[in-house]
Amino acid sequence: DPSPPKFMPIPDTPLSQQIACFETALAADPRLQASGLLATLDIDTLSYALFEACSVQVDVLRADQLHPVVSGNKWFKLKYNLLQAQRDGCRELLSFGGAWSNHLHALAYVGGLLGFKTCGIVRGNELDTAANPMLAEAQALGMELEFVSRQQFRYYREAPRQLAANLRWVIPEGGDNQLGQLGAASMLLQAHAVAGEYSHVVVAVGTGCTFAGLRQALPDSVKLVGVSALKGAWVEQDMARRMRGLPAGGWYLDQAHHFGGFGKVTPDLLSFIRGFGDNTGLLLDPIYTGKAMMALQDLISESMIPCGSRVLFVHSGGLQGRRGFPITH
C-alpha cells in the first residue's frame, strides 16, 4: 500500500521500538487491562529426571497460563492485528481454521471483548457447530461460522484478501502475517525473559508464524529449534523462505516428531503426554506441545542439545485440544 497505516510494521525501525509502540496502545485499552491478557508471562524451571541426568536446565515459558480462554501464543499473533483493525475503523474480523482451531476460538473471545463482529471459515463442509466443544464454544462466544469444502478452504487460505470487504479485517489462518510475527516476537518481552541466557529456545511449529517471530527477537547466539506438527518436505522449504535474511545457522526445524502429520497421534505419543504430566505436573496437548516436548527429550538424549545447555521451552497453549484425545486417566 502506498501509505501504510499507523500500526503496520515499519521497515528499518528496531523491533523493540515497534513492539513498544504497539504495547503502549494495547495498555491504553481498559478492557484489555481488565482481561489479564497483558499480564507478565511466568517462566518455570522444569524438574524432570532425564533432563537432570543430562545436565540440561529446561525452563518453560508459560504462555498456556496467561488466560483461561485465549490460549497461549494465539493472543500474541492476534493482538497487533486487532490494533490494526481498530486503527482502520473495522467492525468485523474474519479468519480461517480447522475443526479444532484454537485460533478461531481465541479470535471469537478477544474479538467479542473488543466489540468486533467475528466470522470463522471452517475447513470441512461435513461439520457443524455440534461437531466438537471448540466450535460450539466459538459460536457461543458470538462467532459466525461458515463450513466450506477443503478445496474452497485452500482457495480462501491462499488468497485471503479476496474476502476483504468494507469495515472487515481479514486475518490469515493462525494469525500468520507480519503483525502476527511481530506479536509472537513480543512473547519474550512479556515474559521479561533474558534471551541471551539460553543456548536454545524450543517451540512447536504449525504455520511457522510464532517460529519466525521468535527468531527475529532472539540474539544470534541462541539457537531456535522448531518442532513441526506438519508432515512434508515443503515445510522446511517454506521455513527457509521465511528465514531468508536472518543469520544462517540460527535455527533448526525438527521434522521427525510429527507422528504422521497435523492432528495425527500415536499410542506412544499419548502415553508420553500422560506420563510427562504425571511426573512434572505440566499439561501438554497432542497437536503441538506434546510433540515438541517429546522431540526435546530425544534431542537431549541424543546430545543434539548437549550437556550443560540451558533451554527455554515455549509452551504455546492449545490445551483445549486435549478434549479430543484419550489422555486423561
Side-chain angles (χ1 to χ4, degrees):
D1 295 336
S3 55
K6 178 180 178 183
F7 289 112
M8 286 298 286
I10 305 168
D12 303 320
T13 300
L15 190 78
S16 59
Q17 289 185 23
Q18 295 187 54
I19 290 174
C21 173
F22 298 155
E23 292 300 316
T24 298
L26 290 171
D29 192 319
R31 295 167 297 184
L32 292 176
Q33 284 284 5
S35 72
L37 288 166
L38 305 183
T40 301
L41 297 176
D42 290 333
I43 296 179
D44 297 335
T45 298
L46 195 61
S47 177
Y48 188 55
L50 183 144
F51 299 158
E52 293 166 0
C54 295
S55 299
V56 174
Q57 178 177 325
V58 177
D59 293 344
V60 182
L61 190 155
R62 300 300 304 271
D64 60 306
Q65 292 185 327
L66 178 64
H67 193 272
V69 178
V70 184
S71 178
N73 65 336
K74 303 304 179 284
W75 158 244
F76 292 90
K77 293 188 290 181
L78 283 171
K79 61 182 182 177
Y80 299 158
N81 275 284
L82 299 172
L83 279 178
Q84 185 66 58
Q86 289 178 325
R87 169 64 178 81
D88 286 0
C90 294
R91 298 176 184 171
E92 179 183 343
L93 304 170
L94 181 145
S95 195
F96 316 86
W100 286 90
S101 174
N102 292 310
H103 166 69
L104 289 182
H105 188 267
L107 180 62
Y109 177 87
V110 75
L113 175 69
L114 297 180
F116 290 102
K117 174 184 176 182
T118 59
C119 301
I121 306 293
V122 182
R123 181 178 59 248
N125 56 357
E126 76 281 5
L127 300 171
D128 58 30
T129 53
N132 64 54
M134 195 84 82
L135 294 174
E137 287 169 12
Q139 185 183 56
L141 289 166
M143 176 172 276
E144 293 184 4
L145 298 173
E146 179 183 350
F147 300 90
V148 301
S149 69
R150 284 156 177 76
Q151 180 180 5
Q152 186 68 32
F153 186 88
R154 285 194 298 271
Y155 179 67
Y156 285 150
R157 183 177 59 190
E158 291 166 8
R161 284 177 177 254
Q162 67 190 292
L163 290 170
N166 187 37
L167 304 182
R168 172 193 288 168
W169 182 257
V170 178
I171 303 172
E173 185 178 14
D176 188 9
N177 58 11
Q178 278 186 297
L179 291 162
Q181 286 189 33
L182 195 63
S186 77
M187 292 178 72
L188 298 174
L189 297 178
Q190 191 159 335
H192 301 308
V194 182
E197 294 182 351
Y198 294 95
S199 57
H200 301 76
V201 172
V202 177
V203 66
V205 173
T207 63
C209 181
T210 298
F211 187 76
L214 289 173
R215 181 60 270 173
Q216 294 175 52
L218 290 169
D220 294 349
S221 60
V222 180
K223 182 97 167 199
L224 179 63
V225 179
V227 180
S228 179
L230 286 73
K231 180 181 179 181
W234 64 272
V235 178
E236 187 163 10
Q237 295 168 3
D238 181 69
M239 197 58 64
R241 175 186 58 79
R242 286 175 178 271
M243 297 299 188
R244 201 170 294 143
L246 295 173
W251 61 276
Y252 167 71
L253 187 67
D254 176 280
Q255 293 185 275
H257 292 85
H258 55 67
F259 293 91
F262 185 73
K264 302 294 181 62
V265 301
T266 66
D268 285 347
L269 175 63
L270 297 178
S271 177
F272 168 78
I273 291 171
R274 283 193 294 267
F276 193 87
D278 289 344
N279 287 319
T280 66
L282 186 68
L283 298 182
L284 303 168
D285 82 282
I287 306 299
Y288 292 111
T289 57
K291 295 179 179 182
M293 186 60 78
M294 197 167 183
L296 175 58
Q297 173 185 266
D298 292 347
L299 291 169
I300 291 173
S301 297
E302 296 161 9
S303 297
M304 293 183 69
I305 293 179
C307 174
S309 297
R310 186 177 179 190
V311 178
L312 181 66
F313 181 88
V314 178
H315 195 313
S316 51
L319 295 178
Q320 299 100 319
R322 287 171 59 91
R323 295 176 293 184
F325 297 90
I327 52 180
T328 56
H329 295 296

